[in-house]
Amino acid sequence: MAMQVHHVVQLDRDVAEEVTKWLKYLKGQVTSVQFLTTTVPDPKVADKWRVQYEAYITYQK
């Protein structure tokens, strides 16, 4: 079995809902989920920061 990684990323919105959908879709194939939250500069507005939410879902295929 090969290991695969699915990357989910969104600005200013938690990724938990999308990760939950992937967990249901992959049904027992998931080996780990890692969450990462980072503050990033807003590319459109100087001196403004945004929150970037990410998740890495590792699963067997």
Side-chain angles (χ1 to χ4, degrees), residues 25-57:
Y25 174 74
L26 293 169
K27 293 183 184 174
Q29 300 175 60
V30 175
T31 57
S32 71
V33 178
Q34 297 175 330
F35 291 92
L36 176 65
T37 305
T38 310
T39 305
V40 296
D42 190 326
K44 297 179 182 176
V45 181
D47 297 327
K48 184 177 177 186
W49 293 84
R50 298 177 74 179
V51 178
Q52 178 173 293
Y53 296 89
E54 298 180 77
Y56 293 89
I57 304 166

